[in-house]
Amino acid sequence: MQTVDIRTQWEGAAPGWARWEATIATWMEPATEAMLAMAGVDAGTRVLDLASGAGSQTLRAAQRVGAQGHVVASDIADTMLHHVQENARAAGLTHVTTLAGAAEDLDVVAESFDAVICRLGLMLFRDPAKALRAVRRALRPRGKVAVVVFTTPATNPFMAQPMQTLLRHAGKTPPAPGQPGIFALGAPGVLERLLADSGFVDVEQCSVALALRMPSAAQALVMMQEAFGAYRAVVSDCPESVRVAAWAEVAETLRTFETATGFVAPPEVLVAAGVKPA
Ligand SMILES: C[S@@+](CC[C@H](N)C(=O)[O-])C[C@H]1O[C@@H](n2cnc3c(N)ncnc32)[C@H](O)[C@@H]1O
């Protein structure tokens, strides 16, 4: 997919992502805290948040760094950054700024950041290695990068099964190895190797089990339809009848995650970090 298509895909998903921001923030909280800790985000830190989306993790970083620090939220979709600006203003966080553009084309002053974070973005990039080289340039020596990606289809059935369904209805195949996709960097060793090959040292990682709790499977379906850009993109060019049939089958799958207390899915993510050599 070309950069311009990726931008269009995420511009379309941005209002939905912003609408579901609170649910996503709660869902991702343990991974977000691990990512911020592993990136060394503390009082006074200068942080770059790549693929920030509507910015819930940007704001957590801004709270941690305080007024002596600074957080730049960067994303390929302008509408996402508009939401970051609004959310930062509403939270009274004046040390948050935004930068539009693809991570692969990141254009910032060399060595101007202490930490770079990227939650649920890197696996979707057309060229994650190029983005990580740009991150390395942006970091000061001994600065840290920390990222969150989904692990594997087997440990994320709530994410994997609907994606398989949408692909089948659309007559498309899953991304080939090495191509962008929600599970592109989740297999054992892939992310560690990518960070090491991109020039980072002291690479460490941990898996974090999460729980996505929502009142009902119907709500989970609406979130997926409105916010999940990669899912929307699979059927976006299909006839209406195909889209309706595909989402109806996804709805059935999501109902299998319903319990007596509502919808509960057990996603798993990987949090990995590396250090720019001195
Ligand atoms: C799954 S969302 C995650 C957003 C946010 N980090 C979060 O966790 O809430 C993926 C984000 O990556 C952005 N994105 C996709 N490809 C990108 C690229 N090549 N460069 C920069 N941002 C990109 C999208 O616009 C979207 O905001």
Side-chain angles (χ1 to χ4, degrees):
M1 199 182 269
Q2 297 302 306
T3 300
V4 65
D5 298 326
I6 294 171
R7 182 175 298 115
T8 307
Q9 167 188 330
W10 283 102
E11 282 294 353
W17 195 268
R19 204 168 308 130
W20 290 97
E21 180 79 334
T23 302
I24 294 165
T26 306
W27 171 23
M28 285 292 145
E29 195 179 338
T32 306
E33 293 306 315
M35 173 182 73
L36 294 172
M38 286 165 78
V41 174
D42 280 318
T45 310
R46 299 162 300 168
V47 182
L48 172 62
D49 181 8
L50 268 193
S52 64
S56 67
Q57 74 289 307
T58 314
L59 268 51
R60 281 296 300 130
Q63 286 157 352
R64 278 175 86 121
V65 305
Q68 302 309 312
H70 189 82
V71 184
V72 177
S74 181
D75 200 280
I76 199 167
D78 288 328
T79 309
M80 291 288 193
L81 296 177
H82 172 72
H83 287 292
V84 176
Q85 287 155 4
E86 284 202 330
N87 294 339
R89 204 170 15 249
L93 296 166
T94 53
H95 51 295
V96 173
T97 55
T98 58
L99 173 69
E104 292 91 337
D105 304 328
L106 183 68
D107 184 18
V108 295
V109 176
E111 304 191 356
S112 57
F113 291 95
D114 305 301
V116 177
I117 56 172
C118 182
R119 189 181 77 181
L120 302 182
L122 193 65
M123 70 282 189
L124 303 171
F125 295 173
R126 192 175 30 82
D127 192 343
K130 186 175 178 197
L132 284 175
R133 286 196 297 276
V135 164
R136 191 166 174 265
R137 183 174 173 278
L139 281 171
R140 65 159 167 81
R142 301 304 297 167
K144 293 180 181 172
V145 60
V147 307
V148 177
V149 301
F150 286 109
T151 52
T152 61
T155 48
N156 287 282
F158 145 73
M159 302 290 293
Q161 291 169 10
M163 179 52 94
Q164 280 161 11
T165 301
L166 295 174
L167 286 166
R168 176 164 40 78
H169 279 266
K172 296 176 182 171
T173 47
Q179 292 302 302
I182 45 174
F183 301 116
L185 301 177
V190 174
L191 186 53
E192 276 174 307
R193 207 163 38 243
L194 178 63
L195 285 165
D197 289 350
S198 304
F200 291 95
V201 297
D202 300 339
V203 173
E204 52 171 343
Q205 68 174 38
C206 60
S207 58
V208 179
L210 304 169
L212 172 61
R213 292 177 196 282
M214 299 182 72
S216 66
Q219 289 222 7
L221 175 71
V222 176
M223 178 171 81
M224 202 169 256
Q225 289 174 317
E226 291 186 348
F228 288 17
Y231 290 67
R232 292 162 54 93
V234 173
V235 287
S236 63
D237 54 356
C238 294
E240 163 103 27
S241 57
V242 173
R243 284 207 303 270
V244 169
W247 284 117
E249 195 179 323
V250 170
E252 256 176 59
T253 302
L254 293 179
R255 273 197 289 276
T256 65
F257 293 89
E258 227 154 21
T259 69
T261 56
F263 176 89
V264 186
E268 186 189 68
V269 294
L270 206 55
V271 189
V275 178
K276 175 173 172 170

